[in-house]
Amino acid sequence: MTWIGSAVRARGGWLWMVLVVLAGVVVPVTLVPGMGGANDGADAEWSATSDMFAPNDFRAAPYLGNGRIGTMLPPSGGGYHDYGDTARTAFPLQQPRYTGTYLAGFYAEGGPSPQYTQVIAALPAWSGLTVGVAGQQYQADVDPAAINDYRQTLDYRTATATTQVTWTPDPEHRIRLRYDTFVSRSRPDLAVQRLTLAPDFSGDLDVTDLIDTAATRRTSPVTAFADPARQQSVAGVRADGSPDTAFVVSAVDTPQHTVAAALPATSGIRYTTPVTEGGSYTFTKYVGISSTDYGPDPQAAATTAAESGRTDGYNTAHGAHADAWDQLWQKGIEITGRDDYTQWIRAAMYSVLASVRAGDRWSVQPAGLSSDDYGGITFWDADTWIFPTLLALYPDLARTIVDFRSQALPSARANARGYGLPGALYPWNDGPAQRCASPWVCGLTEEHLHNEIALAQWQYYTATGDLEWLHSNGAPVITAIADYLTARVGPKMPDGKYHYVPAAGADEYVTLSIDNALTNGGVMNTMRIAAQAAGLAGLPVDPRWADIAANMAMPPEIAPGVPAEYLGYTGAPIKQADTVLLSYPFSYTAPGYSPVDTLHYYFDRTDPDGPNMSNAVGAILSAEYDPCLTQYYLDQSVQPYVRGPYNFQSEARGDRSGANVLGQAAWIFVTGAAGFLQGLLYAPTGLRWTDTNPRLNPMLPNGFPHGMTIHGLSVGTGTVTVRITSDTTTLTLTSGDPITFDTPAGPETVTSTRPLQIPTRSAC
């Protein structure tokens, strides 16, 4: 495929070199004879490469994921690496970073905490094939002085990491190594690593397969053993405080004449192979990973996955995996002539897609499955920042986020009952159990979350038209939230208004407030859509919903057309987008309310060192109300946060995402990547999910003079290609039924035989 645009080569300029020098290790690149070309077999337009070995830089680590399994590979190409005390994770764990493997749904009990009841557990490291010769070992903490000809490539299109290196442990032994590693998209419980060795000596060489339990976090061992006769290694763990167990099973293919021996009291097997100078030798490990979340016998499931992979072989397993990713890449965003945006888009889309899987019952966490940043807990990030991006292109993936909330509805109802309230109370931050840890966090902190959950449920219905889903899933969540909020804001006060006391919005520089504008405005929206959803689904409609929607208090203006963030707000700096969210994703209107003045007022006061989602909303709102600023906000939503060598995004421009943050900024920040993509999807198109038809009001940002194209915009059962140029926006139906859009000229329909053309607004 070539539609996304021109090649962007890996970030390898002077700034990256300086960063790696500061990290303590720089190894320049040369090509490795006989072990692949300059791009390691990957398409240079679709890959990013590190050509310097930086073992202590946690950002120089590829992320592999299939939406169920996520893993970080160290720069060496495999195994477990702890980055030490200086590189720490984000709130709430704030622990040293490491290359972890995570399985969606596998969580430990959080222990005594006022904030959450669960935190994600880390599995044993599966990816290491350690090479040994002359008493030396090539593994994650290999001596950098023994490394030459280093090159590590992450191919976004096939979600494959390739590491090539020449290792010289002593003058008599020189080995060229190549690791090819992927986590299967086609089989969710399978991961594969192939090691190819080319020695410059003759003699015996050891390769050790160890399922490394040193990498586990918040687990206790269940079993660890090896079966050399079957060339299988097995490790099982139990999540702390939980009956849930997970198993990692490895099955290895080895060259002829290899002898296998178990390592005592471990899950490791040492494979000894006689090698000849100039020869090539391949070891391939097929790893099954499963837990009790996916069946009653996870060891058997993991064993079946590993053995099935071995039966199929590397080429078949990788081919099916690459085909599954290719289907995902049929959709996307193309910006002609902007190589920087091309690479940023691909890296961002990859990090999002690697963190979600259609049909699974889990949401998406702020760091996806790349780390235990934010404890793997679900926040509003999923519903507000990640969901809209998926909804526009991948509604089947977006459904996992809204269905996570509907599956947690019994827990949310139990939470509300625990506080003597009706309806559903969702915690601000928790794992899959979605239990309230304390009234302080669950009932008093950032309750705007409920309105965003309800909005996402409604948007899924309006985008897909799936009335059956609304009846069974969406409407029960929306109406239960409305029931909770009705009790929470009632009764009506003597001024004839409903008030939210106490409350807190998205601005985390303010702990508690009265009548937070975002929260109260969101309540109005929830009450309106609850009545609509209930009516469509045949559920009871509470007459108080309409009264609250009409009489919810809002704080007074702090400037003409600009509501104060909360009652008593005096213009202090804010951490991130808060009141501006009234205009998007909500569609708040009121006499005198000015979306453009609200945009300007609050972005002038938003901390530039806050988390990187805010500017995406700035782009979407400015495209509607002040288009000259759209390109600025799009640039600011990505450029300050992208880091080499793999172009993933950090949560913050610096080490911390705000002045009051505990712990370092999250990495890899899937929330920010999705926010950036959301800006590109919704700002230029003017796309809004309305109660009738999706609305378009296109404009072309002034930094994209050659236009842009969105492939696979999904509405109902159909998809369209949207081509935006400076004068005209053209929609072409590529699959499914005709789609009607609300345009500035009124409703217009695109069919298989009639493209739709809409004038493009000027950016300035």
Side-chain angles (χ1 to χ4, degrees), residues 101-232:
T101 292
Y102 309 93
L103 182 62
F106 190 61
Y107 280 68
E109 295 302 310
S113 170
Q115 292 141 344
Y116 55 87
T117 71
Q118 292 178 304
V119 64
I120 198 165
L123 300 181
W126 61 269
S127 65
L129 283 171
T130 299
V131 181
V133 65
Q136 303 293 318
Q137 289 189 324
Y138 181 86
Q139 53 191 16
D141 61 354
V142 63
D143 182 1
I147 297 301
N148 288 286
D149 308 326
Y150 177 79
R151 177 176 289 267
Q152 187 175 67
T153 299
L154 177 60
D155 183 351
Y156 305 127
R157 181 159 61 183
T158 65
T160 304
T162 299
T163 307
Q164 295 186 90
V165 63
T166 298
W167 178 47
T168 310
D170 61 47
E172 287 75 38
H173 298 91
R174 183 173 182 265
I175 311 175
R176 292 180 294 278
L177 309 175
R178 172 172 174 146
Y179 292 88
D180 295 287
T181 311
F182 65 94
V183 176
S184 176
R185 189 85 202 187
S186 59
R187 174 145 194 173
D189 51 2
L190 178 67
V192 181
Q193 182 171 70
R194 181 178 64 184
L195 167 62
T196 305
L197 307 99
D200 286 354
F201 62 89
S202 298
D204 284 346
L205 182 147
D206 293 333
V207 172
T208 299
D209 175 27
L210 175 66
I211 308 299
D212 194 348
T213 56
T216 62
R217 299 292 189 277
R218 296 167 292 280
T219 70
S220 57
V222 172
T223 189
F225 66 91
D227 186 342
R230 297 184 179 182
Q231 299 189 166
Q232 277 187 9

Side-chain angles (χ1 to χ4, degrees), residues 611-676:
N612 72 338
M613 307 96 71
S614 299
N615 286 304
V617 168
I620 295 168
L621 291 174
S622 65
E624 185 83 5
Y625 303 112
D626 191 358
C628 289
L629 290 175
T630 303
Q631 190 66 55
Y632 166 79
Y633 283 119
L634 286 174
D635 291 345
Q636 290 302 305
S637 73
V638 59
Q639 196 169 40
Y641 306 99
V642 168
R643 305 286 185 270
Y646 300 115
N647 298 312
F648 294 130
Q649 291 196 26
S650 173
E651 183 185 14
R653 301 188 308 174
D655 289 335
R656 297 197 305 162
S657 58
N660 68 337
V661 168
L662 301 174
Q664 298 176 4
W667 173 265
I668 296 165
F669 196 46
V670 173
T671 303
F676 160 61

